[in-house]
Coordinates of all heavy atoms in Angstrom, one line a residue:
M17 N -6.4 27.9 5.2 CA -5.9 27.4 3.9 C -6.9 26.6 3.2 O -7.7 25.8 3.8 CB -4.5 26.6 4.1 CG -3.5 27.5 4.7 SD -1.8 26.7 4.5 CE -2.0 25.4 5.7
P18 N -7.1 26.7 1.8 CA -8.1 26.0 1.1 C -7.9 24.5 1.2 O -6.8 24.0 1.2 CB -7.9 26.5 -0.3 CG -7.0 27.7 -0.3 CD -6.1 27.6 1.1
R19 N -9.0 23.8 1.3 CA -9.0 22.4 1.3 C -9.4 21.9 -0.1 O -10.4 22.3 -0.7 CB -10.0 21.8 2.3 CG -9.6 22.0 3.8 CD -10.7 21.9 4.7 NE -11.7 22.8 4.5 CZ -13.0 22.6 4.1 NH1 -13.4 21.3 4.0 NH2 -13.9 23.5 3.8
I20 N -8.6 20.9 -0.6 CA -8.9 20.4 -2.0 C -9.1 18.9 -1.8 O -8.3 18.2 -1.1 CB -7.6 20.6 -2.9 CG1 -7.2 22.1 -2.9 CG2 -8.0 20.1 -4.4 CD1 -8.1 23.0 -3.5
T21 N -10.1 18.4 -2.5 CA -10.4 16.9 -2.5 C -10.1 16.4 -3.9 O -10.7 16.8 -4.9 CB -11.9 16.7 -2.1 OG1 -12.0 17.2 -0.8 CG2 -12.1 15.2 -2.0
F22 N -9.2 15.5 -3.9 CA -8.9 14.7 -5.1 C -9.6 13.4 -5.1 O -9.5 12.6 -4.1 CB -7.4 14.4 -5.3 CG -6.5 15.7 -5.5 CD1 -6.1 16.5 -4.4 CD2 -6.2 16.1 -6.7 CE1 -5.3 17.6 -4.7 CE2 -5.5 17.3 -7.0 CZ -5.0 18.0 -5.9
I23 N -10.3 13.0 -6.2 CA -11.0 11.7 -6.3 C -10.5 11.0 -7.4 O -10.6 11.4 -8.6 CB -12.5 12.1 -6.4 CG1 -13.1 13.1 -5.3 CG2 -13.3 10.7 -6.4 CD1 -14.4 13.6 -5.6
E24 N -10.0 9.8 -7.1 CA -9.3 9.0 -8.1 C -10.5 8.3 -8.9 O -11.6 8.2 -8.5 CB -8.5 7.9 -7.5 CG -7.2 8.4 -6.8 CD -6.3 7.3 -6.4 OE1 -6.0 6.4 -7.2 OE2 -5.9 7.4 -5.2
H25 N -10.2 7.7 -10.1 CA -11.1 7.1 -10.9 C -11.9 6.0 -10.2 O -13.0 5.7 -10.6 CB -10.5 6.5 -12.2 CG -9.5 5.4 -11.9 ND1 -9.9 4.1 -12.1 CD2 -8.2 5.4 -11.4 CE1 -8.9 3.3 -11.7 NE2 -7.9 4.1 -11.4
D26 N -11.2 5.3 -9.2 CA -12.0 4.3 -8.4 C -12.6 4.9 -7.1 O -13.0 4.0 -6.2 CB -10.9 3.2 -8.1 CG -9.9 3.7 -7.1 OD1 -9.9 4.9 -6.8 OD2 -9.0 2.9 -6.7
E27 N -12.8 6.1 -7.0 CA -13.5 6.9 -6.1 C -12.6 7.0 -4.7 O -13.1 7.4 -3.7 CB -14.8 6.2 -5.7 CG -15.8 6.2 -6.9 CD -16.2 7.6 -7.4 OE1 -16.3 8.5 -6.5 OE2 -16.3 7.8 -8.6
T28 N -11.3 6.6 -4.7 CA -10.5 6.7 -3.6 C -10.3 8.3 -3.5 O -10.1 9.1 -4.4 CB -9.1 6.2 -3.9 OG1 -9.1 4.7 -4.1 CG2 -8.2 6.4 -2.7
I29 N -10.5 8.7 -2.2 CA -10.5 10.2 -1.9 C -9.3 10.6 -1.2 O -8.8 9.9 -0.2 CB -11.8 10.5 -1.1 CG1 -13.0 10.4 -2.0 CG2 -11.7 11.9 -0.4 CD1 -14.4 10.6 -1.3
H30 N -8.8 11.7 -1.5 CA -7.5 12.3 -0.8 C -8.0 13.7 -0.4 O -8.2 14.6 -1.4 CB -6.3 12.4 -1.7 CG -5.9 11.0 -2.3 ND1 -5.0 10.2 -1.8 CD2 -6.4 10.4 -3.5 CE1 -4.9 9.1 -2.5 NE2 -5.7 9.2 -3.5
E31 N -8.1 14.1 0.8 CA -8.4 15.4 1.2 C -7.1 16.2 1.6 O -6.4 15.7 2.6 CB -9.4 15.4 2.4 CG -10.7 14.9 1.9 CD -11.9 14.9 2.9 OE1 -11.4 14.7 4.2 OE2 -13.0 14.9 2.6
I32 N -6.8 17.2 1.0 CA -5.5 17.9 1.2 C -5.7 19.4 1.6 O -6.6 20.0 1.0 CB -4.8 17.9 -0.2 CG1 -4.6 16.5 -0.7 CG2 -3.4 18.6 0.0 CD1 -3.8 15.5 0.0
T33 N -4.9 19.8 2.4 CA -5.0 21.3 2.7 C -3.9 21.9 1.9 O -2.7 21.5 1.9 CB -4.6 21.6 4.3 OG1 -5.7 20.9 5.1 CG2 -4.6 23.1 4.5
A34 N -4.2 22.9 1.1 CA -3.3 23.5 0.1 C -2.8 24.8 0.5 O -3.4 25.5 1.3 CB -4.0 23.5 -1.3
E35 N -1.7 25.2 -0.1 CA -1.2 26.6 0.1 C -1.8 27.5 -0.9 O -1.9 27.2 -2.2 CB 0.3 26.6 -0.1 CG 1.1 25.8 0.9 CD 1.3 26.5 2.2 OE1 1.1 27.7 2.2 OE2 1.5 25.7 3.2
D36 N -2.2 28.7 -0.6 CA -2.6 29.8 -1.5 C -1.4 30.0 -2.5 O -0.3 30.0 -2.1 CB -2.9 31.1 -0.7 CG -4.4 31.2 -0.3 OD1 -5.1 30.4 -0.6 OD2 -4.7 32.3 0.2
G37 N -1.8 30.1 -3.7 CA -0.8 30.5 -4.8 C -0.3 29.2 -5.5 O 0.4 29.4 -6.5
A38 N -0.3 28.1 -4.8 CA 0.1 26.9 -5.5 C -0.9 26.5 -6.6 O -2.0 26.9 -6.6 CB 0.3 25.7 -4.5
T39 N -0.4 25.7 -7.5 CA -1.4 25.2 -8.5 C -1.9 23.9 -8.0 O -1.2 23.2 -7.2 CB -0.8 25.0 -9.9 OG1 0.2 23.9 -9.8 CG2 -0.1 26.3 -10.4
V40 N -3.0 23.5 -8.6 CA -3.6 22.2 -8.3 C -2.6 21.1 -8.5 O -2.4 20.1 -7.8 CB -4.9 21.9 -9.0 CG1 -5.4 20.5 -8.9 CG2 -6.0 22.9 -8.4
M41 N -1.8 21.2 -9.7 CA -0.8 20.2 -10.1 C 0.2 20.1 -8.9 O 0.6 19.1 -8.5 CB -0.2 20.6 -11.4 CG 1.0 19.7 -11.8 SD 2.5 20.1 -11.2 CE 3.0 21.6 -12.2
E42 N 0.8 21.3 -8.5 CA 1.8 21.2 -7.4 C 1.3 20.6 -6.1 O 2.0 19.8 -5.6 CB 2.3 22.7 -7.2 CG 3.0 23.3 -8.3 CD 3.2 24.8 -8.1 OE1 2.4 25.4 -7.5 OE2 4.2 25.3 -8.8
V43 N 0.2 20.9 -5.8 CA -0.5 20.2 -4.5 C -0.6 18.7 -4.8 O -0.3 18.0 -3.8 CB -1.9 20.8 -4.3 CG1 -2.6 20.1 -3.2 CG2 -1.8 22.3 -3.9
A44 N -1.0 18.3 -6.0 CA -1.1 16.8 -6.3 C 0.3 16.2 -6.1 O 0.5 15.2 -5.5 CB -1.7 16.6 -7.6
L45 N 1.3 16.8 -6.7 CA 2.7 16.2 -6.7 C 3.1 16.2 -5.2 O 3.7 15.2 -4.8 CB 3.5 17.1 -7.5 CG 3.5 16.9 -9.0 CD1 4.7 17.5 -9.8 CD2 3.4 15.4 -9.5
D46 N 3.0 17.3 -4.5 CA 3.5 17.3 -3.2 C 2.9 16.3 -2.3 O 3.5 16.0 -1.2 CB 3.3 18.8 -2.6 CG 4.1 19.9 -3.2 OD1 5.2 19.5 -3.9 OD2 3.9 21.0 -3.0
N47 N 1.7 15.9 -2.6 CA 1.0 14.9 -1.7 C 0.9 13.5 -2.4 O 0.1 12.7 -2.0 CB -0.4 15.5 -1.4 CG -0.3 16.7 -0.5 OD1 -0.1 16.6 0.7 ND2 -0.3 17.9 -1.0
S48 N 1.7 13.3 -3.4 CA 1.8 12.1 -4.1 C 0.4 11.5 -4.5 O 0.1 10.3 -4.3 CB 2.4 11.0 -3.1 OG 3.7 11.4 -2.8
I49 N -0.4 12.4 -5.1 CA -1.7 12.0 -5.6 C -1.5 11.2 -6.9 O -0.8 11.7 -7.8 CB -2.6 13.2 -5.9 CG1 -2.8 14.0 -4.7 CG2 -4.0 12.7 -6.5 CD1 -3.4 13.4 -3.5
P50 N -1.9 10.0 -7.0 CA -1.7 9.1 -8.2 C -2.5 9.8 -9.4 O -3.6 10.4 -9.2 CB -2.3 7.8 -7.8 CG -2.6 7.8 -6.4 CD -2.7 9.2 -5.9
G51 N -1.8 9.7 -10.6 CA -2.5 10.1 -11.8 C -2.1 11.4 -12.3 O -2.6 11.8 -13.3
I52 N -1.4 12.1 -11.6 CA -0.8 13.4 -12.0 C 0.7 13.3 -12.2 O 1.5 13.3 -11.2 CB -1.0 14.6 -11.0 CG1 -2.5 14.7 -10.7 CG2 -0.5 15.9 -11.4 CD1 -3.4 15.3 -11.9
D53 N 1.1 13.2 -13.5 CA 2.6 13.1 -13.6 C 3.2 14.4 -13.9 O 4.4 14.6 -13.5 CB 2.8 12.2 -14.9 CG 2.4 10.7 -14.7 OD1 2.3 10.3 -13.5 OD2 2.1 10.1 -15.8
A54 N 2.6 15.3 -14.5 CA 3.1 16.7 -14.7 C 4.6 16.7 -15.4 O 5.5 17.3 -14.9 CB 3.1 17.4 -13.3
D55 N 4.6 15.9 -16.4 CA 6.0 15.7 -17.1 C 6.6 17.0 -17.5 O 7.8 17.1 -17.5 CB 5.8 14.9 -18.3 CG 5.4 13.4 -18.0 OD1 5.6 13.0 -16.9 OD2 4.9 12.8 -18.9
C56 N 5.9 18.1 -17.8 CA 6.5 19.3 -18.2 C 6.8 20.3 -17.0 O 7.2 21.4 -17.3 CB 5.7 20.0 -19.3 SG 4.2 20.8 -18.7
G57 N 6.4 19.9 -15.9 CA 6.6 20.7 -14.7 C 5.8 22.0 -14.7 O 6.1 22.9 -13.9
G58 N 4.7 21.9 -15.2 CA 3.7 23.0 -15.2 C 3.8 24.0 -16.3 O 3.2 25.2 -16.1
Q59 N 4.4 23.7 -17.4 CA 4.6 24.7 -18.5 C 3.5 24.6 -19.5 O 3.6 25.2 -20.6 CB 5.9 24.4 -19.2 CG 7.2 24.5 -18.3 CD 7.2 25.9 -17.7 OE1 7.2 26.9 -18.3 NE2 7.3 26.0 -16.3
C60 N 2.4 23.9 -19.2 CA 1.3 23.7 -20.1 C 1.8 23.2 -21.4 O 1.4 23.6 -22.5 CB 0.6 25.1 -20.4 SG -1.1 24.9 -21.0
A61 N 2.6 22.1 -21.3 CA 3.1 21.5 -22.5 C 3.2 20.0 -22.5 O 4.0 19.4 -23.2 CB 4.6 22.1 -22.7
C62 N 2.3 19.4 -21.7 CA 2.3 17.9 -21.7 C 0.9 17.2 -21.6 O 0.8 16.1 -22.0 CB 3.2 17.4 -20.7 SG 2.6 17.5 -19.0
A63 N 0.0 17.9 -20.9 CA -1.3 17.4 -20.7 C -1.3 16.2 -19.8 O -2.4 15.4 -19.7 CB -2.0 17.1 -21.9
T64 N -0.3 15.8 -19.0 CA -0.2 14.7 -18.0 C -0.7 15.2 -16.7 O -0.5 14.5 -15.7 CB 1.1 14.0 -17.9 OG1 2.0 15.0 -17.4 CG2 1.6 13.5 -19.2
C65 N -1.3 16.3 -16.6 CA -2.0 16.8 -15.4 C -3.5 17.0 -15.6 O -4.1 17.8 -14.9 CB -1.3 18.1 -14.9 SG -1.6 19.5 -16.0
H66 N -4.0 16.3 -16.6 CA -5.5 16.4 -16.9 C -6.3 16.0 -15.7 O -6.2 14.9 -15.1 CB -5.7 15.5 -18.1 CG -7.2 15.4 -18.6 ND1 -7.7 14.4 -19.3 CD2 -8.1 16.4 -18.5 CE1 -8.9 14.6 -19.5 NE2 -9.3 15.7 -19.0
V67 N -7.3 16.9 -15.4 CA -8.3 16.6 -14.3 C -9.6 17.1 -14.8 O -9.8 17.7 -15.8 CB -7.9 17.3 -13.0 CG1 -6.5 16.8 -12.5 CG2 -7.8 18.8 -13.2
F68 N -10.7 16.7 -14.0 CA -12.1 17.1 -14.3 C -12.5 18.0 -13.1 O -12.3 17.5 -11.9 CB -13.0 15.9 -14.4 CG -12.6 15.0 -15.6 CD1 -12.1 13.7 -15.2 CD2 -12.7 15.4 -16.9 CE1 -11.8 12.8 -16.3 CE2 -12.4 14.5 -17.9 CZ -11.9 13.3 -17.6
I69 N -13.0 19.2 -13.4 CA -13.5 20.1 -12.4 C -15.0 20.2 -12.6 O -15.4 20.6 -13.8 CB -12.9 21.4 -12.6 CG1 -11.4 21.4 -12.5 CG2 -13.4 22.4 -11.5 CD1 -10.8 21.0 -11.1
N70 N -15.9 19.9 -11.8 CA -17.4 19.9 -12.0 C -17.8 21.4 -12.1 O -17.2 22.3 -11.8 CB -18.1 19.0 -11.1 CG -18.3 19.6 -9.7 OD1 -18.1 20.9 -9.6 ND2 -18.6 18.8 -8.7
D71 N -19.0 21.4 -12.6 CA -19.7 22.7 -13.0 C -19.8 23.7 -11.8 O -19.6 24.9 -12.0 CB -21.2 22.4 -13.4 CG -21.3 22.7 -14.8 OD1 -20.4 23.1 -15.5 OD2 -22.4 22.3 -15.4
D72 N -20.0 23.1 -10.6 CA -20.1 23.9 -9.4 C -18.8 24.8 -9.2 O -18.9 25.9 -8.6 CB -20.3 23.1 -8.2 CG -21.7 22.4 -8.2 OD1 -22.5 22.9 -9.0 OD2 -21.9 21.5 -7.5
W73 N -17.7 24.4 -9.6 CA -16.4 25.0 -9.4 C -15.9 25.7 -10.6 O -15.1 26.6 -10.5 CB -15.4 24.0 -8.9 CG -15.7 23.6 -7.5 CD1 -16.3 22.3 -7.1 CD2 -15.6 24.2 -6.2 NE1 -16.6 22.4 -5.7 CE2 -16.1 23.5 -5.2 CE3 -15.1 25.5 -6.0 CZ2 -16.0 23.9 -3.9 CZ3 -15.1 26.0 -4.7 CH2 -15.5 25.1 -3.6
A74 N -16.4 25.3 -11.8 CA -15.8 25.8 -13.0 C -15.9 27.3 -13.1 O -15.0 28.0 -13.5 CB -16.5 25.1 -14.1
S75 N -17.0 27.9 -12.5 CA -17.2 29.3 -12.7 C -16.3 30.1 -11.8 O -16.2 31.3 -11.9 CB -18.7 29.6 -12.4 OG -19.0 29.3 -11.0
K76 N -15.7 29.4 -10.9 CA -14.7 30.1 -9.9 C -13.3 30.1 -10.3 O -12.4 30.6 -9.7 CB -14.8 29.5 -8.4 CG -16.2 29.6 -7.9 CD -16.4 29.0 -6.5 CE -17.7 29.3 -6.0 NZ -18.0 28.6 -4.7
I77 N -13.1 29.4 -11.5 CA -11.8 29.3 -12.0 C -11.6 30.0 -13.4 O -12.6 29.9 -14.2 CB -11.5 27.8 -12.2 CG1 -11.5 27.1 -10.8 CG2 -10.1 27.6 -12.9 CD1 -11.4 25.6 -10.9
P78 N -10.6 30.8 -13.6 CA -10.5 31.4 -15.0 C -10.6 30.4 -16.1 O -10.2 29.2 -16.0 CB -9.2 32.0 -14.9 CG -8.8 32.2 -13.5 CD -9.5 31.1 -12.7
A79 N -11.4 30.8 -17.2 CA -11.5 29.9 -18.3 C -10.2 29.4 -18.9 O -9.1 30.1 -18.7 CB -12.3 30.7 -19.3
R80 N -10.3 28.4 -19.7 CA -9.1 27.9 -20.3 C -8.6 28.9 -21.3 O -9.3 29.5 -22.0 CB -9.5 26.6 -21.2 CG -10.0 25.4 -20.5 CD -10.4 24.4 -21.5 NE -11.1 23.3 -21.0 CZ -11.9 22.6 -21.7 NH1 -12.1 22.8 -23.0 NH2 -12.6 21.6 -21.2
E81 N -7.3 29.1 -21.3 CA -6.7 29.9 -22.4 C -6.2 29.0 -23.6 O -6.4 27.8 -23.5 CB -5.4 30.6 -21.7 CG -5.8 31.6 -20.7 CD -4.7 32.5 -20.2 OE1 -3.6 32.3 -20.7 OE2 -5.0 33.4 -19.4
E82 N -5.8 29.6 -24.6 CA -5.7 28.9 -25.9 C -4.6 27.8 -25.7 O -4.7 26.7 -26.3 CB -5.1 29.9 -26.9 CG -5.1 29.2 -28.3 CD -4.7 30.2 -29.4 OE1 -4.9 31.4 -29.3 OE2 -4.2 29.7 -30.4
A83 N -3.5 28.1 -24.9 CA -2.5 27.0 -24.8 C -3.1 25.8 -24.1 O -2.7 24.7 -24.4 CB -1.3 27.6 -24.0
E84 N -3.9 26.0 -23.1 CA -4.5 24.9 -22.4 C -5.5 24.2 -23.4 O -5.4 22.9 -23.3 CB -5.3 25.4 -21.1 CG -5.9 24.3 -20.3 CD -6.5 24.8 -19.0 OE1 -6.5 26.0 -18.7 OE2 -7.0 23.9 -18.3
E85 N -6.2 24.9 -24.1 CA -7.1 24.1 -25.1 C -6.3 23.3 -26.0 O -6.7 22.2 -26.3 CB -7.9 25.2 -25.9 CG -8.9 26.1 -25.1 CD -10.2 25.4 -24.9 OE1 -10.4 24.2 -25.3 OE2 -11.1 26.1 -24.4
T86 N -5.2 23.8 -26.5 CA -4.4 23.1 -27.4 C -3.8 21.9 -26.8 O -3.8 20.7 -27.4 CB -3.2 24.0 -27.9 OG1 -3.8 25.1 -28.5 CG2 -2.3 23.3 -28.9
M87 N -3.3 21.9 -25.6 CA -2.7 20.7 -24.9 C -3.8 19.8 -24.6 O -3.6 18.5 -24.7 CB -2.0 21.2 -23.6 CG -0.7 21.9 -23.9 SD 0.3 21.1 -25.2 CE 0.6 19.5 -24.5
L88 N -5.0 20.2 -24.2 CA -6.1 19.2 -23.9 C -6.5 18.4 -25.0 O -6.9 17.3 -24.9 CB -7.3 19.9 -23.3 CG -7.2 20.3 -21.9 CD1 -8.4 21.2 -21.5 CD2 -7.2 19.1 -21.0
E89 N -6.1 18.8 -26.3 CA -6.5 18.0 -27.4 C -5.5 16.7 -27.5 O -5.9 15.8 -28.2 CB -6.1 18.8 -28.7 CG -7.1 20.0 -29.0 CD -6.8 20.8 -30.2 OE1 -5.9 20.5 -30.9 OE2 -7.4 21.9 -30.3
L90 N -4.5 16.7 -26.7 CA -3.6 15.5 -26.6 C -4.0 14.6 -25.6 O -3.5 13.5 -25.4 CB -2.1 16.0 -26.4 CG -1.6 17.0 -27.4 CD1 -0.1 17.4 -27.0 CD2 -1.6 16.4 -28.8
A91 N -4.9 15.0 -24.6 CA -5.3 14.2 -23.5 C -6.4 13.2 -23.9 O -7.1 13.4 -24.9 CB -5.8 15.1 -22.3
E92 N -6.5 12.1 -23.1 CA -7.5 11.1 -23.4 C -8.8 11.4 -22.6 O -8.7 11.9 -21.5 CB -7.1 9.7 -22.9 CG -6.1 9.0 -24.0 CD -5.8 7.5 -23.4 OE1 -6.9 6.8 -23.1 OE2 -4.8 7.2 -23.3
G93 N -9.9 11.2 -23.2 CA -11.2 11.3 -22.5 C -11.6 12.7 -22.1 O -12.3 12.9 -21.1
V94 N -11.2 13.7 -22.9 CA -11.5 15.1 -22.6 C -13.0 15.4 -22.6 O -13.7 14.9 -23.6 CB -10.8 16.0 -23.6 CG1 -11.1 17.5 -23.4 CG2 -9.3 15.9 -23.3
T95 N -13.5 16.1 -21.6 CA -14.9 16.5 -21.6 C -14.9 18.0 -21.4 O -13.9 18.7 -21.2 CB -15.6 15.8 -20.5 OG1 -15.3 16.4 -19.3 CG2 -15.4 14.3 -20.4
E96 N -16.2 18.5 -21.4 CA -16.3 20.0 -21.0 C -15.8 20.3 -19.6 O -15.6 21.5 -19.4 CB -17.9 20.4 -21.1 CG -18.7 19.6 -20.1 CD -20.1 19.8 -20.2 OE1 -20.6 21.0 -20.1 OE2 -20.8 18.8 -20.5
F97 N -15.6 19.3 -18.8 CA -15.1 19.5 -17.4 C -13.6 19.4 -17.3 O -13.1 19.5 -16.2 CB -15.7 18.6 -16.5 CG -17.3 18.7 -16.5 CD1 -18.0 17.5 -17.0 CD2 -18.0 19.7 -16.1 CE1 -19.4 17.5 -17.0 CE2 -19.4 19.8 -16.1 CZ -20.1 18.7 -16.7
S98 N -13.0 19.1 -18.5 CA -11.5 19.0 -18.5 C -10.7 20.2 -18.2 O -11.1 21.2 -18.8 CB -11.1 18.3 -19.7 OG -11.6 17.0 -19.9
R99 N -9.7 20.1 -17.4 CA -8.7 21.2 -17.2 C -7.4 20.6 -17.0 O -7.3 19.4 -16.7 CB -9.1 22.1 -15.9 CG -10.4 22.7 -15.9 CD -10.5 23.8 -17.1 NE -9.4 24.7 -17.0 CZ -9.6 26.0 -16.6 NH1 -10.8 26.4 -16.2 NH2 -8.6 26.9 -16.7
L100 N -6.4 21.5 -17.2 CA -5.0 21.1 -16.9 C -4.8 21.6 -15.4 O -4.8 22.8 -15.2 CB -4.0 21.6 -17.9 CG -4.1 21.0 -19.2 CD1 -3.1 21.6 -20.2 CD2 -3.9 19.5 -19.2
A101 N -4.3 20.7 -14.6 CA -4.1 21.1 -13.1 C -3.1 22.1 -12.9 O -3.2 22.9 -11.9 CB -3.9 19.9 -12.3
C102 N -2.2 22.2 -13.8 CA -1.1 23.1 -13.7 C -1.6 24.5 -13.9 O -0.8 25.5 -13.7 CB 0.1 22.8 -14.5 SG -0.2 22.9 -16.2
Q103 N -2.7 24.7 -14.6 CA -3.3 26.0 -14.9 C -4.3 26.5 -14.0 O -4.9 27.6 -14.2 CB -3.9 26.0 -16.4 CG -2.8 25.5 -17.4 CD -1.6 26.4 -17.5 OE1 -1.8 27.6 -17.7 NE2 -0.5 25.9 -17.2
I104 N -4.5 25.9 -12.8 CA -5.4 26.3 -11.8 C -4.7 26.7 -10.6 O -4.1 25.8 -9.8 CB -6.5 25.1 -11.5 CG1 -7.2 24.6 -12.8 CG2 -7.5 25.7 -10.4 CD1 -7.9 23.4 -12.5
E105 N -4.7 28.0 -10.3 CA -4.0 28.5 -9.1 C -5.0 28.5 -8.0 O -6.1 28.9 -8.2 CB -3.5 29.8 -9.4 CG -2.6 30.3 -8.2 CD -1.8 31.6 -8.6 OE1 -1.2 31.7 -9.7 OE2 -1.9 32.6 -7.9
I106 N -4.6 28.0 -6.8 CA -5.4 28.0 -5.7 C -5.5 29.3 -4.9 O -4.5 29.9 -4.7 CB -4.9 26.8 -4.8 CG1 -5.1 25.4 -5.5 CG2 -5.7 26.7 -3.5 CD1 -4.4 24.4 -4.9
N107 N -6.7 29.5 -4.5 CA -6.9 30.7 -3.6 C -8.1 30.4 -2.7 O -8.7 29.3 -2.8 CB -7.2 32.0 -4.4 CG -8.4 31.8 -5.3 OD1 -9.5 31.4 -4.9 ND2 -8.2 32.0 -6.6
D108 N -8.4 31.2 -1.7 CA -9.4 31.0 -0.7 C -10.7 30.7 -1.3 O -11.6 30.0 -0.8 CB -9.5 32.1 0.2 CG -8.3 32.1 1.3 OD1 -7.6 31.0 1.4 OD2 -8.0 33.1 1.8
A109 N -11.0 31.2 -2.5 CA -12.3 31.0 -3.1 C -12.5 29.6 -3.6 O -13.6 29.1 -3.8 CB -12.5 31.9 -4.3
L110 N -11.4 28.8 -3.7 CA -11.4 27.4 -4.1 C -11.5 26.5 -2.8 O -11.3 25.3 -3.1 CB -10.3 27.1 -5.0 CG -10.3 27.9 -6.3 CD1 -9.1 27.5 -7.2 CD2 -11.6 27.8 -7.0
D111 N -11.7 27.0 -1.7 CA -11.9 26.2 -0.5 C -12.9 25.1 -0.8 O -14.1 25.6 -1.0 CB -12.1 27.0 0.8 CG -12.1 26.1 2.0 OD1 -11.4 25.1 2.0 OD2 -12.9 26.5 2.9
G112 N -12.6 23.8 -0.7 CA -13.6 22.8 -0.9 C -13.6 22.2 -2.3 O -14.4 21.4 -2.6
L113 N -12.7 22.8 -3.2 CA -12.7 22.3 -4.6 C -12.5 20.8 -4.7 O -11.8 20.2 -3.9 CB -11.5 22.9 -5.3 CG -11.1 22.5 -6.7 CD1 -12.2 23.1 -7.6 CD2 -9.8 23.0 -7.1
Q114 N -13.3 20.2 -5.6 CA -13.2 18.8 -5.9 C -12.6 18.5 -7.3 O -13.0 19.2 -8.2 CB -14.6 18.1 -5.8 CG -15.2 18.0 -4.4 CD -16.4 17.2 -4.3 OE1 -16.9 16.7 -5.3 NE2 -16.8 16.9 -3.1
V115 N -11.6 17.7 -7.3 CA -10.8 17.5 -8.5 C -10.9 16.0 -8.8 O -10.5 15.1 -7.9 CB -9.4 17.9 -8.3 CG1 -8.6 17.6 -9.7 CG2 -9.2 19.4 -8.0
R116 N -11.4 15.7 -9.9 CA -11.5 14.2 -10.3 C -10.3 13.8 -11.2 O -10.1 14.7 -12.1 CB -12.9 13.9 -11.0 CG -14.0 13.8 -9.9 CD -15.3 13.2 -10.5 NE -16.2 13.0 -9.4 CZ -16.3 11.7 -8.7 NH1 -15.5 10.8 -9.1 NH2 -17.1 11.6 -7.8
L117 N -9.8 12.7 -11.1 CA -8.7 12.3 -11.9 C -9.2 11.2 -12.9 O -10.0 10.3 -12.6 CB -7.7 11.6 -10.9 CG -7.2 12.5 -9.9 CD1 -6.5 11.7 -8.7 CD2 -6.2 13.5 -10.4
P118 N -8.7 11.3 -14.2 CA -9.2 10.5 -15.2 C -8.6 9.0 -15.1 O -7.4 8.8 -14.6 CB -8.6 11.1 -16.5 CG -8.0 12.4 -16.2 CD -7.8 12.4 -14.7
A119 N -9.4 8.0 -15.5 CA -8.9 6.7 -15.4 C -7.8 6.4 -16.2 O -6.9 5.6 -15.9 CB -10.1 5.8 -15.8
A120 N -7.6 7.2 -17.3 CA -6.5 6.9 -18.2 C -5.1 7.3 -17.6 O -4.1 6.9 -18.1 CB -6.7 7.7 -19.5
Q121 N -5.1 8.1 -16.5 CA -3.9 8.4 -15.9 C -3.5 7.7 -14.6 O -2.6 8.1 -13.9 CB -4.0 9.9 -15.6 CG -3.9 10.8 -16.8 CD -4.2 12.3 -16.5 OE1 -4.6 13.0 -17.6 NE2 -4.0 12.7 -15.4
H122 N -4.3 6.6 -14.3 CA -4.0 6.0 -13.0 C -2.7 5.2 -13.1 O -2.2 4.9 -14.2 CB -5.1 5.2 -12.5 CG -5.4 3.9 -13.3 ND1 -6.0 3.8 -14.5 CD2 -5.0 2.6 -13.0 CE1 -6.1 2.6 -14.9 NE2 -5.5 1.9 -14.1
Ligands
FES201 S1 2.1 19.8 -16.0 FE1 2.4 19.6 -18.2 S2 0.6 20.5 -18.9 FE2 0.3 20.6 -16.8

């Protein structure tokens, strides 16, 4: 099963073993990772699951769709590395994925 590392804004690290097919948001909630509220339950309608995915991993994840782009406009501190965790489905190719959490959501 893929291993996902969540890194909080203060560099606190959470290493989690995830289920294939779950989203990064679901894994975060199931493991009480701070900073992911997911108010809309994964409907791409709140932006409270904003995370940063670095370049090394970005190419392994499908690009943002229009709805995700629109919701990210509501998030704080958005960068080119910003994604909504509810829009990233985990599979074996993402084993070792590192997910950084924004300071604004702690
Ligand atoms: S959980 Fe609401 S946009 Fe991701």
